[in-house]
């Protein structure tokens, strides 16, 4: 799109002068794509580029690179410390290295030995506090240029913009005490508009920010994006254990009694694995090992609400919605809730309250909210766990994307990388593209799978 092309040219222009900068486009306008296009276009680069991102979106970066820039070699540095050290030592042949803030803090001495072409920090609000290890770690890296990506460059205090600039262009806004005395105190306490204008003028060339409403004419009505997350260590162990058991059990059942007689067992196994991808607390009462997908969803929600948007969150699992509800309460984010157990008058009241709120989150059970609701106040839709039937997901998204909607609707489908969710999404896409196997509205995706596809999902070999 034209505004994305402008963004790539801006990055090239900044790099050409050895300046850094902040790409501050609103969420959903393609900051990741613009950076990948920039990296792919830097053919004279000899050192690798580094992206530092929250753990929850590290694998989304890799997925986007595989989709849009398959020509660049990408290395994700994750996993146990020993493995990360080996990966960093062998990273010289890669174009792009991706790691998390948490890993970087523990591996910073290894990274300090490398001279990078460019360093990009995604969700740069993670370095807004200059006293944190996150900020000090990224600021200790060596690179030709540094860029920050964030839809919320300033949330609470002007020191936040100073801290980000201290990474992208150290010294440009003086040292911290001088910045506070020159700008922050006069603006925040003294309401000094001259100083505010002076600061705005000073940083303007080094920040590129576009809002959806400004580029609306260049955007389609609905943008659908697959967002990939990893898993916490506890999630990985649980998933591996359950997957191994299901694979062994189903292999025996398929060989003994065939595919047709084991639909219930297959459905139960797939559902349990999907619950682990979402959050093991959906079925384990005492689980406290976290969920990367929950972290990713909260980042999307927080960024959207702080930018003035309202959000619909759909899940098949009501227990998952209640876990998200707890997180929203802890973050003081207003929310409304709807599931199939609610009475019609309660349902109507929640819908009315959400539609009259300025910006908020609506948690909706997919079955309860798939039809019959008009929620055009929302323009962000999150499908927390993929449904078997893409038509049901589409119907749910259309609660916001319908007559009366004046804004672009951004739809995020959250998938856990390297799991059954990713395989199901690929199978769904494959079936969409085969005209003879298109999933009709109302058809259950599971019932449209054959034995070979079930074996593929679980990695079970067919009988010789």
């Amino acid at each position: 799109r034209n505004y994305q092309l402008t963004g790539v040219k801006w990055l090239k222009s900044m790099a050409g002068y050895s300046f850094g900068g902040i790409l501050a486009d609103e969420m959903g306008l393609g900051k990741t794509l613009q950076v990948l296009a920039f990296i792919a276009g830097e053919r004279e680069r000899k050192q690798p580029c580094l992206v530092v991102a929250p753990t929850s979106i590290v694998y989304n970066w890799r997925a986007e690179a595989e989709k849009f820039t398959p020509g660049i070699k990408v290395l994700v540095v994750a996993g146990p410390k020993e493995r990360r050290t080996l990966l960093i030592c062998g990273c010289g042949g890669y174009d792009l290295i991706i790691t998390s803030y948490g890993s970087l803090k523990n591996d910073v001495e290894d990274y300090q030995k490398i001279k990078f072409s460019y360093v990009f920090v995604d969700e740069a609000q993670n370095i807004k506090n200059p006293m944190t290890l996150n900020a000090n770690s990224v600021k200790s890296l060596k690179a030709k240029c540094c860029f920050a990506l964030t839809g919320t460059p300033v949330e609470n205090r002007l020191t936040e913009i100073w801290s980000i600039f201290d990474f992208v262009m150290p010294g440009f806004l003086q040292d911290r005490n001088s910045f506070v005395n020159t700008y922050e105190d006069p603006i925040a306490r003294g309401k000094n508009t001259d100083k505010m204008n002076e600061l705005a003028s000073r940083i303007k060339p080094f920040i590129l920010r576009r809002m959806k409403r400004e580029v609306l004419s260049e955007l389609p009505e609905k943008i659908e994006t697959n967002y990939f997350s990893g898993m916490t260590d506890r999630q990985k162990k649980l998933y591996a254990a359950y997957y191994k058991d299901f694979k062994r059990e189903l292999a025996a059942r398929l060989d003994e009694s065939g595919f047709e007689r084991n639909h219930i067992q297959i459905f139960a196994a797939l559902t349990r694995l999907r619950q682990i991808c979402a959050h093991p607390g959906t079925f384990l009462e005492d689980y406290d090992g976290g969920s990367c997908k929950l972290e990713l969803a909260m980042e999307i929600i927080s960024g959207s609400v702080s930018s003035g948007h309202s959000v619909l969150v759909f899940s098949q699992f009501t227990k998952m919605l209640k876990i998200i509800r707890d997180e929203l309460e802890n973050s003081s984010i207003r929310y409304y809730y709807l599931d199939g157990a609610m009475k019609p008058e309660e349902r109507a009241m929640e819908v009315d309250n959400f539609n009259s709120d300025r910006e908020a989150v609506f948690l909706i059970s997919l079955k309860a909210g798939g039809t019959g609701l008009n929620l055009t106040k929302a323009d962000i839709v999150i499908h927390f766990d993929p449904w078997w039937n893409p038509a049901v997901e589409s119907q749910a998204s259309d609660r916001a994307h319908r007559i009366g909607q004046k804004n672009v609707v951004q739809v995020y489908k959250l998938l856990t990388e390297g799991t059954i969710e990713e395989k199901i999404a690929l199978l769904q896409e494959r079936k969409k593209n085969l005209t003879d196997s298109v999933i009709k509205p109302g058809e259950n995706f599971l019932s449209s799978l054959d034995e070979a596809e079930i074996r593929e999902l679980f990695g079970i070999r067919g009988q010789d």
Side-chain angles (χ1 to χ4, degrees), residues 31 67 129 141 153 173 183 269 277 329 365 410 427 441 450:
K31 294 187 288 292
K67 179 178 180 180
N129 184 342
L141 301 173
L173 293 181
Y183 294 111
C277 292
E329 289 180 354
S365 164
Q410 185 84 39
L427 272 176
D450 58 28

Side-chain angles (χ1 to χ4, degrees), residues 52-55 100-106 108 119 121-141 163 167 299:
V52 185
T55 304
S100 68
Y101 287 101
S103 294
L104 177 69
K105 287 187 291 190
N106 294 314
V108 69
V119 174
V121 295
D122 196 6
E123 301 295 346
Q125 58 270 27
N126 282 275
I127 66 167
K128 67 183 182 181
N129 184 342
M131 306 301 291
T132 60
L133 277 174
N134 276 349
N136 289 318
S137 296
V138 299
K139 292 175 185 180
S140 71
L141 301 173
S163 185
F167 163 67
E299 284 168 8

